[in-house]
Amino acid sequence: MTGSWRYVAAATTIVLLSAIWYVWWVLTGAGPVAIGFLFMPLVMAVGGLAIRDLRRSVPLAPAGRRFWRPVEICAYLFAAGFALLAAEAFRIGPELPSMPPAAAALICSGVLLAMWGVASVPLGVTSRYERGKQWLDRAIALLGCSAVLWHFGIAPMVLAPEPWTVSALTILLLACAFAAGSITKVSYIAGGPVDRSAMRLVASTGLCAAGVALLSVIGGYEGAVPAQALCMPLSGLLLALAARRQRAAAKASVRPGNVWLPYLAVLAVDVPVADVLFRPEHWGPGAWEGRLIVLVAVVVTALVAVRQYVVFRENTRLLREKQASEARLRHEATHDPLTGLANRALFRQWLDEALTSGDATVLLVDLDDFKTVNDSLGHDVGDGLLVGFAGALCEAAGLDGSVARLAGDEFAVLITDADRGAAVAERVMAATAAPISSHRLLVHVSAGLATAPAGTAASQLLRDADAAMYAAKQRGKANWVRYAAGMEQPAQAHARLGGDLRRALDDGEFRLFYQPIIGLADGRIIGVEALVRWFHPERGLVPPIEFIPAAERTGLIVPLGRWVLREACRQAAEWLAEFGPDALNKVAPNVSVLQLHDPDFVTDVRAALADHGLGPDRLVLELTESAVLRGQRVLRVLHELHDMGVRLALDDFGTGESSLSLLRSFPASIVKLDKSFVDGIELDEPGTAAADARQAVARAVVQLAGALGLDTVAEGIENQEQADRLHRLGYTVGQGYHLGRPVSAEEMTARFAAQRSAAAAA
Ligand code: C2E
Ligand code: CA
Ligand code: CA
């Protein structure tokens, strides 16, 4: 038997013994009555020891200790007080003892201590409102309980023709107050250091006292003995059980306070009120007890009214808060948090409504190259740009349309008057002519305009506008297009392409073709440019122009470019092994700007070279001007590559806007004169402005490159005259169909072999 059960068993034994003694006494009338007074001090001592054992052996929270300690002392005080009473009982013999003042003092202080313990148990609620409401509830419950205990228990004793001694009355009064106070308190403990059931057991000891009162009032002398022998010892057992209960208490669970108690208390107070009402003896001039009960009833009613008012006010506040948060949620669900514009869901709603009552026009607007801005300048700048553009778009839409942000960089305007569509589109284009946002960025947008008659599905209208927008992008961006039938076909094909690419990369449908880069003086192969090809199982050979843009948009260019880089290095190493170190000087794959943003790019390049044993000086990375003009991060990557010994070539040179200034900041080794300056350069048409300009650019580029110590390659040479003219201008290296078309690796191998045998023959 564990320690705690031992105390329960001991207390139970005492209670049983006292009951047996009482039965025996009633039946035989033998022996001194004083024996009946012995059980109470014994059982109380056991109760105190049970709590002591609990405090010693269980780690209690400080608040728990603050409760159990006073209760334990209370038990000892009771034991001592009732021991004095028993001694008095033995002293005066067969008479019933009256409570000696010392005993009464001990017992009263015990009850006061226990009250203190109960009062110090924290309720576990924090909000001011909850605390206030609980005080009201507890006051109501306390008054209700007390009114009943008082009216039916104590008042009859006080008003009896032979009133009880003051000390006995005080004890009862306190015990009742303790019971009422702790019962109401225990109903509101939200969970905490003191187990609720344990506290309920402790509170019930107060009810034992009330039981004693009742028995004594009803029974007089006959009642006082059973009260002592039967009722009082139970309280010791209750304490032992409470200690046992606390020990077994699992982790405190949190639960809301008792909702019904105040209402029960109101009903309870009605019982003595009704009693007063129907018993005329309560009405007389001296019947202060009746008036007291009515007064308590009035106070309880007033408290209930106050409580209702407080709850009502709180409910109103909560309702207001709820409405506000609902409105906020509604707004959040239908608006874009960044720009504050309507979101796609709300736009769809507008569109559905518009299409039920008439025709509707949608302008779909998409920022060109937003992804690159975001990647190169960072998300904060990107966000700023979106917010700035949203403002510009709203201004441009004016009263003619409602603006929404559908996704990332995709906006839409719902235009109610179809005739105003073109005007809105023009204003949107004009709005992007000036720099946007605090970063003064220049953005271009592509837009698609579509109108649908009433009854059309909103999704159909959006698809049309999307097709028109796609057409606008195809036409070179920064413009708008009105939807026409059949426009969706390229857009659909394009959407399919994105999915196809991923699969193609997994299935190994890509191949590299190689175009020789030739010395113009002797026709020898100096290097090769690697150009990717897609051998589509159904469409056959797909040129890069048709899928590189899609690969860039989907981000697939990064893994694809990684493959190109590795394959080019592998192939170059193979040729060098087969044809010797002089067979080719360099291999030149193309690199997309997105690859430069890939944090692993430099590592990938280093690994591709190392894995195939290729020297970094054999690798040339071809970059376009727009790619290298992408901020500090990219520039750092380029310098890192340059420091590794990898050479960088500026592709399509001369077509960009800032070619010349670029050459100073950028660690390029090679410039590739764009094909557009080579086209027609051989035509001797002095006086033709176009021919003069081309020659001037070609000459300027070669001179500038020479001054800066850069190599040059002239691209797109299609005949011997062009080759000669460029050679005369100072170009020593060229590339073009005339010198060699891009061919498969096998054909290129054959060409190397031919060059080797030609050299051997010479
Ligand atoms: P690019 O880098 O300017 O490549 C030169 C393009 O001009 C190649 O087209 C080539 O076949 C073509 N070309 C060469 N000589 C002549 C000529 O004498 N006349 C004419 N009319 N064209 C000539 P291709 O292979 O279709 O590539 C087109 C573009 O696709 C390339 O332009 C390059 O920007 C891109 N590209 C190709 N392969 C890759 C790759 O692996 N990665 C990346 N990021 N881009 C690639
Ligand atoms: Ca190139
Ligand atoms: Ca080029």
Side-chain angles (χ1 to χ4, degrees):
M1 192 157 44
T2 60
S4 51
W5 279 117
R6 228 183 346 254
Y7 294 105
V8 174
T12 313
T13 312
I14 299 172
V15 168
L16 285 176
L17 281 178
S18 73
I20 292 168
W21 171 83
Y22 175 68
V23 172
W24 179 77
W25 179 77
V26 169
L27 294 179
T28 66
V33 164
I35 292 182
F37 287 79
L38 276 178
F39 302 102
M40 177 61 180
L42 281 177
V43 80
M44 264 301 169
V46 172
L49 289 173
I51 296 172
R52 186 179 130 97
D53 181 54
L54 168 77
R55 285 202 306 109
R56 292 274 160 98
S57 54
V58 176
L60 293 169
R65 278 201 297 278
R66 273 200 298 279
F67 169 74
W68 286 108
R69 229 193 132 78
V71 176
E72 182 193 341
I73 299 173
C74 161
Y76 299 146
L77 291 172
F78 265 58
F82 280 97
L84 285 181
L85 182 63
E88 175 75 1
F90 278 106
R91 196 179 64 80
I92 63 167
E95 291 289 302
L96 266 190
S98 58
M99 179 79 69
L106 285 170
I107 293 171
C108 285
S109 23
V111 181
L112 285 173
L113 254 179
M115 281 173 143
W116 162 264
V118 170
S120 68
V121 173
L123 282 170
V125 290
T126 43
S127 89
R128 234 188 59 155
Y129 162 76
E130 277 300 325
R131 264 203 307 277
K133 196 175 95 183
Q134 285 208 347
W135 274 110
L136 277 171
D137 281 358
R138 286 166 58 199
I140 294 166
L142 186 67
L143 281 175
C145 288
S146 312
V148 175
L149 286 174
W150 160 264
H151 182 72
F152 294 107
I154 300 166
M157 290 193 261
V158 176
L159 301 173
E162 291 165 47
W164 278 38
T165 59
V166 174
S167 42
L169 270 180
T170 314
I171 292 172
L172 273 175
L173 213 60
L174 282 176
C176 288
F178 169 70
S182 44
I183 286 172
T184 52
K185 172 131 189 182
V186 86
S187 301
Y188 289 100
I189 293 178
V194 179
D195 180 71
R196 210 177 294 125
S197 310
M199 191 158 158
R200 218 171 263 141
L201 286 168
V202 173
S204 315
T205 58
L207 288 180
C208 286
V212 170
L214 219 57
L215 279 174
S216 311
V217 169
I218 298 166
Y221 181 83
E222 261 69 58
V225 179
Q228 278 297 323
L230 294 182
C231 222
M232 290 306 277
L234 275 180
S235 48
L237 176 58
L238 287 172
L239 285 188
L241 283 171
R244 155 88 218 132
R245 177 71 227 179
Q246 173 74 56
R247 184 189 291 269
K251 264 234 136 331
S253 63
V254 174
R255 52 141 228 188
N258 190 322
V259 183
W260 295 106
L261 201 61
Y263 300 102
L264 288 177
V266 173
L267 286 179
V269 94
D270 283 344
V271 179
V273 168
D275 185 52
V276 168
L277 203 62
F278 292 111
R279 297 234 311 263
E281 64 264 32
H282 288 293
W283 302 348
W288 56 270
E289 201 273 333
R291 279 200 290 278
L292 182 66
I293 288 295
V294 173
L295 183 67
V296 170
V298 170
V299 172
V300 166
T301 326
L303 286 177
V304 169
V306 172
R307 178 188 193 275
Q308 288 314 94
Y309 174 70
V310 168
V311 171
F312 166 77
R313 260 203 10 202
E314 177 68 4
N315 285 350
T316 325
R317 192 184 65 77
L318 287 178
L319 193 69
R320 255 202 317 275
E321 254 176 34
K322 183 165 163 284
Q323 281 165 345
S325 82
E326 270 174 3
R328 204 172 46 241
L329 280 178
R330 247 197 325 274
H331 188 269
E332 275 168 14
T334 51
H335 288 78
D336 162 42
L338 179 66
T339 59
L341 292 178
N343 65 10
R344 182 181 281 274
L346 185 56
F347 187 77
R348 280 296 292 258
Q349 205 177 316
W350 290 349
L351 211 52
D352 287 335
E353 280 162 17
L355 283 169
T356 49
S357 54
D359 64 358
T361 301
V362 167
L363 182 72
L364 219 54
V365 186
D366 190 279
L367 267 62
D368 295 335
D369 304 318
F370 176 71
K371 193 168 156 40
T372 355
V373 172
N374 226 7
D375 288 345
S376 51
L377 300 178
H379 288 270
D380 288 344
V381 177
D383 284 355
L385 184 64
L386 288 173
V387 172
F389 178 67
L393 189 58
C394 287
E395 214 167 287
L399 296 176
D400 289 331
S402 324
V403 179
R405 179 180 173 210
L406 302 190
D409 60 343
E410 197 178 299
F411 294 80
V413 188
L414 173 62
I415 301 159
T416 32
D417 181 357
D419 297 339
R420 309 287 307 148
V424 173
E426 286 299 342
R427 286 207 298 271
V428 171
M429 292 298 146
T432 53
I436 277 175
S437 93
S438 54
H439 294 277
R440 317 271 319 140
L441 293 171
L442 206 55
V443 290
H444 294 299
V445 298
S446 301
L449 186 70
T451 303
T456 314
S459 52
Q460 180 60 50
L461 176 52
L462 281 174
R463 266 200 300 278
D464 290 352
D466 198 54
M469 186 177 78
Y470 181 74
K473 282 203 188 281
Q474 289 303 100
R475 289 182 198 174
K477 303 184 173 174
N479 61 20
W480 70 275
V481 166
R482 188 191 286 278
Y483 173 77
M487 238 176 214
E488 56 278 359
Q489 275 152 15
Q492 281 164 2
H494 186 259
R496 263 201 311 278
L497 192 64
D500 256 15
L501 277 171
R502 178 78 253 180
R503 185 195 47 72
L505 189 60
D506 294 339
D507 293 358
E509 290 175 8
F510 292 104
R511 292 272 175 285
L512 283 190
F513 267 33
Y514 297 91
Q515 184 174 30
I517 297 166
I518 304 288
L520 289 179
D522 53 7
R524 274 186 58 84
I525 303 174
I526 288 176
V528 289
E529 175 173 0
L531 295 156
V532 72
R533 296 290 180 267
W534 181 7
F535 288 90
H536 193 282
E538 287 147 29
R539 295 164 61 193
L541 195 150
V542 186
I545 294 299
E546 283 182 31
F547 64 84
I548 293 288
E552 287 188 322
R553 221 175 1 261
T554 54
L556 218 65
I557 192 70
V558 173
L560 175 62
R562 196 178 294 136
W563 176 82
V564 167
L565 179 71
R566 296 191 67 84
E567 175 60 15
C569 289
R570 190 199 62 74
Q571 184 61 65
E574 195 181 301
W575 281 327
L576 285 169
E578 193 174 346
F579 299 106
D582 296 333
L584 85 162
N585 197 317
K586 60 184 183 183
V587 62
N590 292 281
V591 170
S592 153
V593 56
L594 285 177
Q595 287 177 268
L596 297 179
H597 283 288
D598 175 17
D600 297 331
F601 184 65
V602 176
T603 321
D604 285 346
V605 171
R606 200 173 279 128
L609 291 171
D611 289 354
H612 301 108
L614 197 69
D617 57 324
R618 301 272 183 177
L619 183 64
V620 173
L621 300 180
E622 295 202 0
L623 307 159
T624 58
E625 287 171 63
S626 52
V628 300
L629 272 175
R630 291 294 182 184
Q632 290 304 310
R633 231 177 75 82
V634 167
L635 202 60
R636 240 191 348 267
V637 170
L638 296 177
H639 276 285
E640 236 175 289
L641 291 166
H642 180 74
D643 295 345
M644 254 167 75
V646 172
R647 280 177 294 168
L648 306 174
L650 268 183
D651 208 350
D652 304 341
F653 191 79
T655 54
E657 281 161 18
S658 51
S659 303
L660 298 183
S661 61
L662 188 66
L663 285 179
R664 281 189 315 175
S665 58
F666 168 75
S669 305
I670 300 162
V671 288
K672 295 186 79 171
L673 179 71
D674 189 68
K675 180 175 179 299
S676 56
F677 304 107
V678 173
D679 282 343
I681 201 169
E682 74 282 14
L683 305 175
D684 254 328
E685 297 170 279
T688 313
D692 286 351
R694 272 196 291 270
Q695 288 222 13
V697 172
R699 188 182 291 116
V701 167
V702 78
Q703 281 172 358
L704 185 74
L708 293 171
L710 306 174
D711 291 339
T712 46
V713 178
E715 276 193 292
I717 300 176
E718 293 186 337
N719 53 53
Q720 189 56 41
E721 291 74 41
Q722 288 173 344
D724 293 342
R725 175 60 58 97
L726 287 161
H727 197 195
R728 255 183 280 134
L729 282 174
Y731 287 87
T732 54
V733 181
Q735 182 184 352
Y737 289 174
H738 175 64
L739 305 169
R741 286 185 174 255
V743 291
S744 68
E746 294 74 37
E747 285 174 82
M748 199 63 215
T749 306
R751 189 159 171 172
F752 280 125
Q755 179 168 288
R756 179 167 60 183
S757 25

